[in-house]
């Protein structure tokens, strides 16, 4: 049975903790892992734009002695020249792992079910597990164990948040979610799926951030969404600014998965401020993804 990395709640807490521990070892002494994936090959099939996921997987794989090829979906006829099963089985003759980034989460899951080679979800319309696992890594570097912390999300209900919700249930940290009433109502069925004692919902971000150890957000219009059909004015009171951060703990971290729309969901003063760790957050993507690759391939 191949090991896949599709959603955090498909993996055990032990597996996720082992991935985090290995990521720390890789970051502390990368030379020790310079041959960990020697003669192994990673394919990347990205149907959505990417900077951090693309570069961190590429460089991370190469730093461990592996090879990387980026596949163009149109050039290989993904979805029209042959069945998905035949295509992935063919790729498995050359590749040891495949990272997929698209807006069709069900398709990523179906490709993994063929079990021809390990599949990693590099972002889908439903979740972004690589991002959130590396965010946990970054929070714990700065704050210690996440299980005793209060993490606050302010903004839209999106794929990054779904992975954060899954992580809250697995690792046991408290999560306050602040979003407009209409957005919470529109996503009620999805949010009800993940009901948990440690997850609370707010339509007032100032109430949500009280005693926060970390405040997180993302852009208000996700990739693939039509900006002309989304009322972003709903979110104007959920902007992360100095006034909002003053209601959190004085040493509360600020995190953003990037790219950021500056002075929209977050002000320059916050993202460039003393509590912001967004560049650490981006850097750590590589170490956690190197660990995920080792987990899936070896």
């Amino acid at each position: 049975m191949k090991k896949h990395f599709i959603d955090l709640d498909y993996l055990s807490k032990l597996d996720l903790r082992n991935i985090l521990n290995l990521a720390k070892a890789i970051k502390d002494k990368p030379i020790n892992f310079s041959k960990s994936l020697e003669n192994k090959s990673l394919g990347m099939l990205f149907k959505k734009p990417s900077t951090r996921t693309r570069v961190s997987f590429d460089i991370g794989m190469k730093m461990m002695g592996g090879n990387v090829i980026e596949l163009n979906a149109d050039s290989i006829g993904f979805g029209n020249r042959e069945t998905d099963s035949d295509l992935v089985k063919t790729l498995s003759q050359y590749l040891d792992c495949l990272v997929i980034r698209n807006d069709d989460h069900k398709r990523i899951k179906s490709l993994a079910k063929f079990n021809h080679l390990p599949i990693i979800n590099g972002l889908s319309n439903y979740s972004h597990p690589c991002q959130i696992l590396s965010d946990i890594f970054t929070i714990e570097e700065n704050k210690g164990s996440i299980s005793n912390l209060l993490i606050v999300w302010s903004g839209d209900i999106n794929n990054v948040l779904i992975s954060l919700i899954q992580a809250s249930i697995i690792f046991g940290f408290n999560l306050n979610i602040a979003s407009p009433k209409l957005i919470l109502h529109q996503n009620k069925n999805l949010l009800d799926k993940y009901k948990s004692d440690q997850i609370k919902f707010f339509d007032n971000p100032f109430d949500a951030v009280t005693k926060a150890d970390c405040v997180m957000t993302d852009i208000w219009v996700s990739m693939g969404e039509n900006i002309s059909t989304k009322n972003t004015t709903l979110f104007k009171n959920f902007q992360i600014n100095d006034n909002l951060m003053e209601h959190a703990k004085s040493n509360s971290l600020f995190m953003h998965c990037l790219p950021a729309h500056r002075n929209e969901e977050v002000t320059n003063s916050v993202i460039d401020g003393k509590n912001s760790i967004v560049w650490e957050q981006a850097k750590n993507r590589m170490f956690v993804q190197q660990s995920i690759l080792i987990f899936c391939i070896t």
Side-chain angles (χ1 to χ4, degrees), residues 205-256:
F206 290 92
D207 293 337
V209 300
T210 302
K211 298 183 180 179
D213 295 289
C214 177
V215 179
M216 303 175 73
T217 192
D218 193 5
I219 55 177
W220 293 337
V221 181
S222 298
M223 286 185 294
E225 286 189 289
N226 189 338
I227 190 170
S228 64
T229 62
K230 189 161 189 178
N231 184 6
T232 56
T233 60
L234 285 171
F235 299 99
K236 65 179 182 179
N237 294 327
F238 294 81
Q239 182 191 67
I240 312 298
N241 51 40
D242 291 326
N243 187 26
L244 185 64
M245 289 298 291
E246 284 173 5
H247 287 72
K249 288 182 179 178
S250 60
N251 63 347
S252 179
L253 306 173
F254 170 72
M255 300 180 76
H256 191 306

Short mmCIF file of all heavy atoms in Angstrom, two decimals, residues 205-256:
data_model
loop_
_atom_site.label_atom_id
_atom_site.label_comp_id
_atom_site.label_asym_id
_atom_site.label_seq_id
_atom_site.Cartn_x
_atom_site.Cartn_y
_atom_site.Cartn_z
N PRO A 205 -14.44 39.86 14.87
CA PRO A 205 -13.04 39.43 15.02
C PRO A 205 -12.40 39.90 16.32
O PRO A 205 -11.47 39.25 16.82
CB PRO A 205 -12.36 40.05 13.80
CG PRO A 205 -13.22 41.18 13.40
CD PRO A 205 -14.63 40.76 13.73
N PHE A 206 -12.87 41.01 16.89
CA PHE A 206 -12.29 41.51 18.14
C PHE A 206 -12.58 40.56 19.29
O PHE A 206 -11.74 40.37 20.18
CB PHE A 206 -12.81 42.92 18.44
CG PHE A 206 -12.28 43.96 17.51
CD1 PHE A 206 -12.98 44.29 16.35
CD2 PHE A 206 -11.06 44.58 17.75
CE1 PHE A 206 -12.48 45.24 15.47
CE2 PHE A 206 -10.56 45.53 16.87
CZ PHE A 206 -11.26 45.86 15.74
N ASP A 207 -13.75 39.94 19.27
CA ASP A 207 -14.05 38.93 20.29
C ASP A 207 -13.18 37.68 20.08
O ASP A 207 -12.73 37.05 21.03
CB ASP A 207 -15.52 38.53 20.23
CG ASP A 207 -16.45 39.66 20.63
OD1 ASP A 207 -16.01 40.57 21.35
OD2 ASP A 207 -17.63 39.63 20.21
N ALA A 208 -12.95 37.34 18.82
CA ALA A 208 -12.20 36.12 18.51
C ALA A 208 -10.74 36.21 18.93
O ALA A 208 -10.15 35.21 19.36
CB ALA A 208 -12.30 35.82 17.02
N VAL A 209 -10.11 37.38 18.77
CA VAL A 209 -8.66 37.47 18.97
C VAL A 209 -8.25 37.67 20.43
O VAL A 209 -7.06 37.64 20.75
CB VAL A 209 -8.03 38.62 18.13
CG1 VAL A 209 -8.27 38.38 16.65
CG2 VAL A 209 -8.54 39.97 18.57
N THR A 210 -9.21 37.85 21.34
CA THR A 210 -8.86 38.02 22.75
C THR A 210 -8.05 36.83 23.25
O THR A 210 -8.46 35.69 23.10
CB THR A 210 -10.14 38.18 23.60
OG1 THR A 210 -10.89 39.29 23.12
CG2 THR A 210 -9.80 38.40 25.06
N LYS A 211 -6.86 37.12 23.77
CA LYS A 211 -5.93 36.11 24.30
C LYS A 211 -5.34 35.21 23.21
O LYS A 211 -4.83 34.12 23.51
CB LYS A 211 -6.60 35.26 25.38
CG LYS A 211 -7.04 36.06 26.60
CD LYS A 211 -7.63 35.16 27.66
CE LYS A 211 -8.06 35.98 28.88
NZ LYS A 211 -8.67 35.12 29.93
N ALA A 212 -5.37 35.65 21.96
CA ALA A 212 -4.81 34.84 20.87
C ALA A 212 -3.30 34.73 20.96
O ALA A 212 -2.61 35.72 21.22
CB ALA A 212 -5.21 35.43 19.53
N ASP A 213 -2.79 33.52 20.73
CA ASP A 213 -1.34 33.30 20.64
C ASP A 213 -0.84 33.48 19.21
O ASP A 213 0.34 33.74 18.99
CB ASP A 213 -0.99 31.88 21.11
CG ASP A 213 -1.30 31.68 22.57
OD1 ASP A 213 -0.59 32.25 23.41
OD2 ASP A 213 -2.27 30.95 22.88
N CYS A 214 -1.73 33.32 18.25
CA CYS A 214 -1.38 33.44 16.84
C CYS A 214 -2.62 33.85 16.06
O CYS A 214 -3.70 33.29 16.28
CB CYS A 214 -0.82 32.13 16.31
SG CYS A 214 -0.42 32.13 14.55
N VAL A 215 -2.47 34.83 15.18
CA VAL A 215 -3.56 35.29 14.33
C VAL A 215 -3.19 35.00 12.88
O VAL A 215 -2.10 35.36 12.42
CB VAL A 215 -3.83 36.80 14.52
CG1 VAL A 215 -4.96 37.26 13.61
CG2 VAL A 215 -4.15 37.10 15.98
N MET A 216 -4.11 34.35 12.16
CA MET A 216 -3.84 33.93 10.79
C MET A 216 -4.93 34.45 9.85
O MET A 216 -6.08 34.63 10.25
CB MET A 216 -3.80 32.40 10.70
CG MET A 216 -2.78 31.75 11.60
SD MET A 216 -2.86 29.93 11.57
CE MET A 216 -2.17 29.59 9.96
N THR A 217 -4.55 34.66 8.60
CA THR A 217 -5.52 35.02 7.58
C THR A 217 -5.02 34.58 6.22
O THR A 217 -3.93 34.03 6.08
CB THR A 217 -5.79 36.55 7.59
OG1 THR A 217 -6.95 36.83 6.79
CG2 THR A 217 -4.60 37.34 7.05
N ASP A 218 -5.85 34.84 5.21
CA ASP A 218 -5.52 34.52 3.82
C ASP A 218 -6.25 35.53 2.95
O ASP A 218 -7.10 36.30 3.44
CB ASP A 218 -5.96 33.08 3.49
CG ASP A 218 -5.38 32.56 2.17
OD1 ASP A 218 -4.56 33.27 1.55
OD2 ASP A 218 -5.76 31.46 1.75
N ILE A 219 -5.96 35.54 1.66
CA ILE A 219 -6.65 36.45 0.76
C ILE A 219 -8.15 36.16 0.76
O ILE A 219 -8.58 35.06 1.04
CB ILE A 219 -6.09 36.36 -0.68
CG1 ILE A 219 -6.14 34.92 -1.20
CG2 ILE A 219 -4.67 36.91 -0.74
CD1 ILE A 219 -5.68 34.78 -2.64
N TRP A 220 -8.93 37.19 0.45
CA TRP A 220 -10.39 37.06 0.51
C TRP A 220 -10.97 36.41 -0.75
O TRP A 220 -12.09 35.90 -0.72
CB TRP A 220 -11.01 38.44 0.72
CG TRP A 220 -10.70 39.01 2.07
CD1 TRP A 220 -10.35 38.32 3.20
CD2 TRP A 220 -10.73 40.39 2.44
NE1 TRP A 220 -10.15 39.19 4.24
CE2 TRP A 220 -10.38 40.48 3.81
CE3 TRP A 220 -11.03 41.58 1.75
CZ2 TRP A 220 -10.31 41.69 4.49
CZ3 TRP A 220 -10.96 42.78 2.44
CH2 TRP A 220 -10.61 42.83 3.78
N VAL A 221 -10.24 36.44 -1.84
CA VAL A 221 -10.70 35.79 -3.07
C VAL A 221 -9.67 34.73 -3.44
O VAL A 221 -8.56 35.05 -3.87
CB VAL A 221 -10.87 36.79 -4.23
CG1 VAL A 221 -11.37 36.06 -5.48
CG2 VAL A 221 -11.86 37.89 -3.84
N SER A 222 -10.01 33.47 -3.24
CA SER A 222 -9.07 32.38 -3.48
C SER A 222 -8.87 32.16 -4.98
O SER A 222 -9.69 32.56 -5.80
CB SER A 222 -9.58 31.09 -2.83
OG SER A 222 -9.68 31.24 -1.43
N MET A 223 -7.77 31.47 -5.32
CA MET A 223 -7.51 31.12 -6.71
C MET A 223 -8.67 30.32 -7.28
O MET A 223 -9.14 29.37 -6.66
CB MET A 223 -6.22 30.30 -6.83
CG MET A 223 -4.96 31.11 -6.66
SD MET A 223 -3.48 30.11 -6.95
CE MET A 223 -3.55 28.96 -5.60
N GLY A 224 -9.12 30.73 -8.46
CA GLY A 224 -10.22 30.03 -9.10
C GLY A 224 -11.57 30.67 -8.86
O GLY A 224 -12.53 30.40 -9.57
N GLU A 225 -11.65 31.53 -7.83
CA GLU A 225 -12.90 32.24 -7.57
C GLU A 225 -13.02 33.46 -8.48
O GLU A 225 -12.01 34.08 -8.83
CB GLU A 225 -12.98 32.69 -6.11
CG GLU A 225 -13.25 31.58 -5.13
CD GLU A 225 -13.53 32.13 -3.74
OE1 GLU A 225 -12.58 32.63 -3.09
OE2 GLU A 225 -14.68 32.08 -3.31
N ASN A 226 -14.22 33.81 -8.82
CA ASN A 226 -14.48 34.97 -9.67
C ASN A 226 -14.65 36.20 -8.78
O ASN A 226 -15.62 36.31 -8.03
CB ASN A 226 -15.75 34.74 -10.51
CG ASN A 226 -15.94 35.83 -11.55
OD1 ASN A 226 -15.42 36.93 -11.43
ND2 ASN A 226 -16.70 35.50 -12.59
N ILE A 227 -13.68 37.11 -8.86
CA ILE A 227 -13.70 38.28 -7.98
C ILE A 227 -14.94 39.14 -8.22
O ILE A 227 -15.44 39.80 -7.31
CB ILE A 227 -12.41 39.12 -8.16
CG1 ILE A 227 -12.32 40.19 -7.07
CG2 ILE A 227 -12.34 39.74 -9.55
CD1 ILE A 227 -10.99 40.89 -7.01
N SER A 228 -15.47 39.11 -9.45
CA SER A 228 -16.62 39.95 -9.77
C SER A 228 -17.91 39.45 -9.12
O SER A 228 -18.89 40.19 -9.00
CB SER A 228 -16.82 40.03 -11.29
OG SER A 228 -17.14 38.76 -11.82
N THR A 229 -17.92 38.18 -8.70
CA THR A 229 -19.13 37.62 -8.09
C THR A 229 -19.00 37.48 -6.58
O THR A 229 -19.91 36.98 -5.92
CB THR A 229 -19.44 36.24 -8.69
OG1 THR A 229 -18.36 35.34 -8.41
CG2 THR A 229 -19.67 36.32 -10.19
N LYS A 230 -17.88 37.92 -6.01
CA LYS A 230 -17.68 37.79 -4.57
C LYS A 230 -17.70 39.17 -3.92
O LYS A 230 -16.97 40.07 -4.34
CB LYS A 230 -16.35 37.09 -4.27
CG LYS A 230 -16.19 36.74 -2.79
CD LYS A 230 -15.16 35.67 -2.60
CE LYS A 230 -15.14 35.17 -1.17
NZ LYS A 230 -14.16 34.11 -0.97
N ASN A 231 -18.51 39.32 -2.92
CA ASN A 231 -18.65 40.60 -2.23
C ASN A 231 -17.57 40.72 -1.16
O ASN A 231 -17.78 40.35 0.00
CB ASN A 231 -20.05 40.71 -1.62
CG ASN A 231 -20.29 42.05 -0.97
OD1 ASN A 231 -19.46 42.96 -1.08
ND2 ASN A 231 -21.42 42.20 -0.31
N THR A 232 -16.41 41.24 -1.52
CA THR A 232 -15.30 41.35 -0.58
C THR A 232 -15.54 42.41 0.48
O THR A 232 -14.85 42.42 1.50
CB THR A 232 -13.98 41.64 -1.32
OG1 THR A 232 -14.13 42.83 -2.10
CG2 THR A 232 -13.59 40.49 -2.22
N THR A 233 -16.53 43.29 0.26
CA THR A 233 -16.82 44.29 1.29
C THR A 233 -17.32 43.64 2.58
O THR A 233 -17.25 44.23 3.66
CB THR A 233 -17.86 45.31 0.79
OG1 THR A 233 -19.08 44.62 0.46
CG2 THR A 233 -17.36 46.06 -0.42
N LEU A 234 -17.82 42.40 2.46
CA LEU A 234 -18.24 41.66 3.65
C LEU A 234 -17.11 41.51 4.66
O LEU A 234 -17.34 41.41 5.87
CB LEU A 234 -18.74 40.27 3.26
CG LEU A 234 -20.11 40.12 2.60
CD1 LEU A 234 -20.30 38.70 2.11
CD2 LEU A 234 -21.22 40.50 3.58
N PHE A 235 -15.87 41.47 4.14
CA PHE A 235 -14.72 41.13 4.98
C PHE A 235 -13.98 42.35 5.53
O PHE A 235 -12.99 42.20 6.25
CB PHE A 235 -13.73 40.27 4.19
CG PHE A 235 -14.29 38.96 3.73
CD1 PHE A 235 -14.75 38.80 2.43
CD2 PHE A 235 -14.37 37.88 4.59
CE1 PHE A 235 -15.27 37.61 1.99
CE2 PHE A 235 -14.89 36.67 4.17
CZ PHE A 235 -15.34 36.53 2.86
N LYS A 236 -14.45 43.56 5.19
CA LYS A 236 -13.66 44.76 5.53
C LYS A 236 -13.40 44.89 7.03
O LYS A 236 -12.35 45.38 7.46
CB LYS A 236 -14.32 46.02 4.99
CG LYS A 236 -15.67 46.34 5.60
CD LYS A 236 -16.24 47.63 5.00
CE LYS A 236 -17.58 47.98 5.66
NZ LYS A 236 -18.13 49.23 5.10
N ASN A 237 -14.34 44.42 7.85
CA ASN A 237 -14.16 44.50 9.31
C ASN A 237 -13.30 43.36 9.85
O ASN A 237 -13.02 43.31 11.06
CB ASN A 237 -15.51 44.50 10.01
CG ASN A 237 -16.33 45.74 9.71
OD1 ASN A 237 -15.78 46.82 9.51
ND2 ASN A 237 -17.64 45.59 9.65
N PHE A 238 -12.89 42.44 8.96
CA PHE A 238 -12.09 41.29 9.38
C PHE A 238 -10.62 41.45 8.98
O PHE A 238 -9.84 40.52 9.09
CB PHE A 238 -12.69 40.01 8.80
CG PHE A 238 -14.05 39.71 9.37
CD1 PHE A 238 -15.19 40.34 8.87
CD2 PHE A 238 -14.19 38.83 10.44
CE1 PHE A 238 -16.44 40.09 9.41
CE2 PHE A 238 -15.44 38.57 10.98
CZ PHE A 238 -16.57 39.20 10.47
N GLN A 239 -10.27 42.64 8.52
CA GLN A 239 -8.88 42.94 8.17
C GLN A 239 -8.00 42.83 9.42
O GLN A 239 -8.37 43.26 10.51
CB GLN A 239 -8.77 44.35 7.60
CG GLN A 239 -7.36 44.73 7.17
CD GLN A 239 -7.23 46.22 6.87
OE1 GLN A 239 -7.33 47.06 7.76
NE2 GLN A 239 -7.04 46.54 5.59
N ILE A 240 -6.79 42.24 9.23
CA ILE A 240 -5.82 42.19 10.33
C ILE A 240 -5.02 43.49 10.30
O ILE A 240 -4.21 43.72 9.41
CB ILE A 240 -4.87 40.98 10.20
CG1 ILE A 240 -5.66 39.70 9.93
CG2 ILE A 240 -4.03 40.84 11.47
CD1 ILE A 240 -6.63 39.30 10.99
N ASN A 241 -5.28 44.34 11.27
CA ASN A 241 -4.60 45.63 11.36
C ASN A 241 -4.08 45.83 12.79
O ASN A 241 -4.30 44.98 13.67
CB ASN A 241 -5.52 46.77 10.92
CG ASN A 241 -6.87 46.72 11.63
OD1 ASN A 241 -6.94 46.44 12.83
ND2 ASN A 241 -7.95 46.98 10.89
N ASP A 242 -3.43 46.95 13.02
CA ASP A 242 -2.85 47.19 14.35
C ASP A 242 -3.91 47.21 15.44
O ASP A 242 -3.68 46.70 16.55
CB ASP A 242 -2.07 48.51 14.34
CG ASP A 242 -0.82 48.44 13.49
OD1 ASP A 242 -0.20 47.37 13.43
OD2 ASP A 242 -0.46 49.46 12.87
N ASN A 243 -5.05 47.78 15.13
CA ASN A 243 -6.12 47.87 16.12
C ASN A 243 -6.58 46.48 16.54
O ASN A 243 -6.77 46.20 17.74
CB ASN A 243 -7.29 48.67 15.53
CG ASN A 243 -8.38 48.94 16.55
OD1 ASN A 243 -8.12 48.99 17.76
ND2 ASN A 243 -9.60 49.12 16.08
N LEU A 244 -6.74 45.58 15.57
CA LEU A 244 -7.17 44.21 15.90
C LEU A 244 -6.08 43.47 16.68
O LEU A 244 -6.37 42.80 17.68
CB LEU A 244 -7.52 43.44 14.63
CG LEU A 244 -8.09 42.04 14.83
CD1 LEU A 244 -9.44 42.09 15.55
CD2 LEU A 244 -8.25 41.32 13.49
N MET A 245 -4.84 43.60 16.25
CA MET A 245 -3.73 42.89 16.91
C MET A 245 -3.54 43.35 18.34
O MET A 245 -3.07 42.58 19.19
CB MET A 245 -2.45 43.05 16.11
CG MET A 245 -2.41 42.31 14.78
SD MET A 245 -2.55 40.50 14.93
CE MET A 245 -0.96 40.09 15.68
N GLU A 246 -3.91 44.58 18.65
CA GLU A 246 -3.78 45.08 20.03
C GLU A 246 -4.72 44.35 20.99
O GLU A 246 -4.50 44.37 22.20
CB GLU A 246 -4.07 46.58 20.06
CG GLU A 246 -2.93 47.43 19.53
CD GLU A 246 -3.29 48.90 19.41
OE1 GLU A 246 -4.42 49.26 19.84
OE2 GLU A 246 -2.46 49.68 18.91
N HIS A 247 -5.74 43.69 20.46
CA HIS A 247 -6.67 42.94 21.30
C HIS A 247 -6.18 41.51 21.55
O HIS A 247 -6.76 40.80 22.38
CB HIS A 247 -8.07 42.92 20.67
CG HIS A 247 -8.78 44.23 20.77
ND1 HIS A 247 -8.42 45.33 20.01
CD2 HIS A 247 -9.83 44.63 21.54
CE1 HIS A 247 -9.22 46.34 20.31
NE2 HIS A 247 -10.08 45.94 21.23
N ALA A 248 -5.16 41.08 20.82
CA ALA A 248 -4.55 39.77 21.06
C ALA A 248 -3.46 39.91 22.11
O ALA A 248 -3.19 41.02 22.61
CB ALA A 248 -3.98 39.22 19.76
N LYS A 249 -2.82 38.81 22.46
CA LYS A 249 -1.68 38.88 23.37
C LYS A 249 -0.58 39.76 22.76
O LYS A 249 -0.44 39.80 21.53
CB LYS A 249 -1.13 37.49 23.65
CG LYS A 249 -2.01 36.62 24.54
CD LYS A 249 -1.35 35.28 24.80
CE LYS A 249 -2.19 34.41 25.71
NZ LYS A 249 -1.57 33.07 25.93
N SER A 250 0.19 40.42 23.60
CA SER A 250 1.23 41.33 23.10
C SER A 250 2.28 40.61 22.26
O SER A 250 2.89 41.20 21.37
CB SER A 250 1.91 42.06 24.26
OG SER A 250 2.51 41.12 25.15
N ASN A 251 2.48 39.32 22.55
CA ASN A 251 3.47 38.53 21.80
C ASN A 251 2.81 37.60 20.78
O ASN A 251 3.41 36.62 20.33
CB ASN A 251 4.37 37.74 22.74
CG ASN A 251 3.59 36.71 23.55
OD1 ASN A 251 2.35 36.74 23.59
ND2 ASN A 251 4.29 35.80 24.20
N SER A 252 1.56 37.90 20.43
CA SER A 252 0.85 37.05 19.47
C SER A 252 1.53 37.10 18.10
O SER A 252 1.93 38.17 17.63
CB SER A 252 -0.60 37.54 19.34
OG SER A 252 -1.30 36.75 18.41
N LEU A 253 1.66 35.95 17.48
CA LEU A 253 2.26 35.86 16.16
C LEU A 253 1.25 36.26 15.10
O LEU A 253 0.05 36.09 15.27
CB LEU A 253 2.72 34.43 15.88
CG LEU A 253 3.64 33.77 16.91
CD1 LEU A 253 3.85 32.29 16.55
CD2 LEU A 253 4.99 34.48 16.98
N PHE A 254 1.76 36.76 13.96
CA PHE A 254 0.90 36.93 12.79
C PHE A 254 1.42 36.04 11.68
O PHE A 254 2.62 36.02 11.39
CB PHE A 254 0.87 38.38 12.29
CG PHE A 254 0.18 38.48 10.95
CD1 PHE A 254 -1.20 38.33 10.87
CD2 PHE A 254 0.90 38.63 9.77
CE1 PHE A 254 -1.85 38.36 9.64
CE2 PHE A 254 0.26 38.66 8.54
CZ PHE A 254 -1.12 38.54 8.48
N MET A 255 0.50 35.31 11.02
CA MET A 255 0.88 34.41 9.94
C MET A 255 -0.06 34.58 8.74
O MET A 255 -1.25 34.86 8.91
CB MET A 255 0.86 32.95 10.42
CG MET A 255 1.81 32.66 11.56
SD MET A 255 1.77 30.93 12.12
CE MET A 255 2.71 30.14 10.82
N HIS A 256 0.51 34.40 7.57
CA HIS A 256 -0.25 34.49 6.31
C HIS A 256 0.42 33.52 5.35
O HIS A 256 1.63 33.54 5.17
CB HIS A 256 -0.18 35.92 5.77
CG HIS A 256 -1.13 36.20 4.63
ND1 HIS A 256 -1.18 35.44 3.48
CD2 HIS A 256 -2.04 37.19 4.46
CE1 HIS A 256 -2.09 35.95 2.66
NE2 HIS A 256 -2.64 37.00 3.23
#
